[in-house]
């Protein structure tokens, strides 16, 4: 583009736009292979040095150390604030944050995006609560099909993907949710934990949709109001057809290596870090820690909805493992002090306390 028209930019200036390229690549959860991997790697390098005033104000607001920004910071902290603008109906506010050169305006938009993200959390929480009530009224886990299909004309379509994520975590099956735009069109979002592709499910039920799209674990769709009553049956049948064509083992967890607790070290982490950035198509290495017994089990957070396990290695080293939105009974058993478990986890660096800490992120627990 710049060879056609350089728009008055000096040669080399274009590399400073890589912060936006990296942010978009990592936020959109595209497969981090081939050119996407290059965009993510160099995007992160520029993001750590970016002079974009809106980002700097957002980093300060979120207490992020810019020079150590990771793909996890983007996925869990930065992206939700930027996405909150479009989810809450004011997409230009995100553009203004990223494009302004005025420090006061940047601070205003950073505050604003953080505020509407908190509002978004509240609305999503109430939608999740309502959806869970609907599931209970249908008989709960025992009374539901292999696909969860729920809707409400009052639900905000732009937030349905977040609600679907929560329900997938609860029930480990594809979730299709819908709301209404205007008087005529039903719009929805769907999520899957990966055991079957939501796009393939929808392709077997395409006669009910106006349009649909997405990828294996995430998608969207629209339905005319006169066909919404056909949606659930069509998707249940579509799921059955998709499962029958699904290759055995595609949804299995693949472990990379068995480790012991003494292997949890900065030396190990530095080796793993060479494969970063991690994401779709380039998952973090998964490790199995066999027969490890927690010396402490606790829940934390304002709502006591996060889990922290503490272990002691053979050399007496303290190892902490966490799982957000989990409790000691979230993994099919009851995790107790002194009772051995098989722990599946990844290694991660946390800067939560304003200094780097090495910990485990729990993926699964086998009692």
């Amino acid at each position: 583009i710049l060879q056609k028209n350089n728009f008055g930019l000096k040669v080399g200036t274009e590399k400073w736009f890589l912060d936006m390229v990296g942010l978009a690549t990592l936020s959109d959860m595209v497969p981090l292979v081939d050119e996407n991997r290059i965009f993510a790697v160099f995007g992160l390098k520029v993001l750590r040095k970016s002079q974009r005033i809106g980002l700097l104000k957002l980093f300060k607001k979120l207490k992020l150390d810019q020079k150590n920004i990771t793909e996890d910071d983007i996925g869990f902290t930065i992206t939700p604030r930027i996405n909150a603008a479009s989810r809450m109906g004011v997409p230009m506010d995100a553009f203004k944050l990223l494009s302004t050169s005025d420090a006061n305006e940047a601070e205003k938009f950073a505050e604003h995006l953080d505020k509407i993200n908190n509002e978004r959390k509240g609305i999503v929480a109430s939608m999740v609560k309502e959806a869970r009530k609907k599931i209970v009224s249908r008989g709960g886990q025992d009374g539901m099909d292999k696909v969860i299909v729920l809707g409400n004309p009052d639900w905000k379509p732009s937030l349905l993907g977040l609600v679907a994520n929560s329900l997938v975590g609860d029930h480990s099956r594809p979730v299709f949710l819908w709301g209404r735009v205007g008087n005529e069109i039903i719009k929805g979002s769907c999520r899957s934990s990966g055991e079957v592709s939501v796009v393939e499910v929808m392709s077997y039920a395409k006669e009910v949709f106006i349009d649909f799209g997405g990828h294996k674990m995430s998608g969207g769709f629209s339905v005319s109001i006169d066909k919404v009553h056909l949606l659930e049956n069509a998707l249940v049948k579509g799921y059955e057809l998709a499962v029958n064509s699904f290759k055995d083992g595609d949804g299995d967890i693949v472990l990379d290596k068995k480790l012991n607790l003494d292997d949890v070290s900065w030396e190990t982490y530095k080796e793993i870090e060479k494969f970063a950035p991690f994401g779709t198509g380039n998952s973090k290495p998964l490790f199995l820690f066999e027969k490890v017994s927690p010396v402490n089990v606790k829940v934390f957070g304002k709502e006591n909805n996060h889990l922290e396990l503490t272990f002691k290695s053979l050399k007496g080293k303290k190892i902490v493992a966490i799982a957000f939105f989990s409790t000691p009974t979230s993994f099919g058993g009851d995790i107790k002090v002194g009772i051995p478990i098989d722990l599946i986890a990844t290694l991660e660096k946390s800067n939560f306390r304003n200094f780097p800490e090495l910990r485990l992120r729990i993926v699964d627990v086998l009692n």
Side-chain angles (χ1 to χ4, degrees):
I1 292 171
L2 294 179
Q3 286 174 350
K4 296 276 186 183
N5 182 346
N6 67 7
F7 301 99
L9 296 174
K10 293 179 181 177
V11 174
T13 304
E14 69 277 2
K15 70 184 178 186
W16 290 104
F17 288 102
L18 280 167
D19 58 351
M20 294 292 92
V21 176
L23 186 60
T25 302
L26 290 163
S27 296
D28 206 33
M29 297 177 69
V30 297
L32 295 182
V33 296
D34 303 326
E35 66 270 27
N36 288 339
R37 179 170 174 76
I38 295 168
F39 293 151
V41 168
F42 287 95
L44 274 170
K45 287 180 185 291
V46 174
L47 197 62
R48 290 167 185 149
K49 298 178 181 179
S50 176
Q51 293 303 303
R52 203 175 295 273
I53 190 65
L55 283 178
L56 298 184
K57 294 294 184 183
L58 190 60
F59 295 159
K60 184 178 179 182
K61 173 72 182 172
L62 302 176
K63 297 180 180 176
L64 293 174
D65 177 10
Q66 183 184 6
K67 67 180 181 297
N68 289 311
I69 290 285
T70 67
E71 62 271 31
D72 285 343
D73 292 324
I74 291 172
F76 295 113
T77 309
I78 300 168
T79 300
R81 270 78 184 175
I82 293 172
N83 280 348
S86 58
R87 294 189 191 281
M88 300 298 282
V90 285
M92 284 301 292
D93 287 357
F95 173 77
K96 289 171 184 173
L97 172 86
L98 297 172
S99 61
T100 186
S101 56
D102 181 273
N104 290 329
E105 190 175 63
E107 187 153 4
K108 181 183 79 173
F109 281 114
E111 290 277 351
H112 174 59
L113 291 186
D114 191 49
K115 179 173 178 280
I116 63 174
N117 186 57
N118 288 329
E119 291 172 6
R120 185 269 306 164
K121 286 180 185 176
I123 296 170
V124 168
S126 93
M127 290 167 70
V128 169
K129 188 175 181 181
E130 185 183 345
R132 285 175 176 157
K133 280 184 180 177
K134 286 177 180 281
I135 290 170
V136 170
S137 72
R138 294 182 176 194
Q141 188 84 11
D142 295 331
M144 68 177 70
D145 284 308
K146 293 294 184 182
V147 181
I148 295 173
V149 184
L150 299 171
N152 184 331
D154 295 328
W155 282 350
K156 200 177 180 71
S158 59
L159 299 178
L160 290 175
L162 301 171
V163 180
N165 277 337
S166 292
L167 299 182
V168 167
D170 288 346
H171 301 288
S172 300
R173 63 193 69 201
V175 175
F176 293 78
L177 303 178
W178 59 263
R180 188 168 64 190
V181 179
N183 294 320
E184 298 299 325
I185 301 295
I186 299 294
K187 290 188 80 69
S189 286
C190 48
R191 297 291 186 270
S192 167
S193 57
E195 75 282 9
V196 68
S197 165
V198 289
V199 173
E200 190 172 355
V201 172
M202 288 189 287
S203 70
Y204 284 114
K206 60 186 177 185
E207 67 280 354
V208 300
F209 296 110
I210 295 171
D211 55 39
F212 65 88
H215 52 83
K216 182 177 177 179
M217 299 176 71
S218 172
F221 58 88
S222 57
V223 185
S224 64
I225 203 160
D226 60 331
K227 285 192 174 181
V228 70
H229 67 286
L230 303 172
L231 186 60
E232 184 166 5
N233 282 341
L235 287 171
V236 170
K237 288 177 183 175
Y239 174 84
E240 290 169 356
L241 292 167
V243 165
N244 289 336
S245 68
F246 196 59
K247 293 178 183 175
D248 290 339
D250 279 7
D252 293 345
I253 291 177
V254 178
L255 297 171
D256 292 281
K257 191 174 176 62
K258 290 182 185 178
L259 295 182
N260 62 56
L261 291 172
D262 282 311
D263 291 323
V264 181
S265 66
W266 286 112
E267 290 74 20
T268 304
Y269 179 79
K270 285 174 184 174
E271 290 300 310
I272 295 168
E273 200 174 25
K274 292 175 183 177
F275 298 96
F278 298 109
T280 306
N282 185 38
S283 301
K284 288 183 178 180
L286 275 180
F287 301 110
L288 173 64
F289 299 86
E290 286 187 311
K291 302 293 181 287
V292 290
S293 303
V295 295
N296 191 37
V297 177
K298 75 172 187 178
V299 290
F300 66 97
K302 289 180 182 176
E303 299 176 21
N304 286 328
N305 58 346
H306 308 312
L307 175 66
E308 180 181 292
L309 307 179
T310 305
F311 301 91
K312 279 274 181 70
S313 75
L314 290 174
K315 296 179 179 177
K317 188 164 57 173
K318 176 183 169 184
I319 307 293
V320 171
I322 67 159
F324 292 117
F325 304 105
S326 300
T327 67
T329 59
S330 292
F331 298 95
D334 191 4
I335 302 170
K336 295 180 179 179
V337 170
I339 305 298
I341 57 174
D342 289 345
L343 179 71
I344 299 173
T346 62
L347 269 68
E348 69 176 17
K349 178 171 70 172
S350 167
N351 289 297
F352 181 73
R353 299 183 220 273
N354 296 320
F355 61 87
E357 293 179 280
L358 185 63
R359 67 187 183 191
L360 298 175
R361 175 67 70 93
I362 301 167
V363 174
D364 202 356
V365 174
L366 309 176
N367 297 84

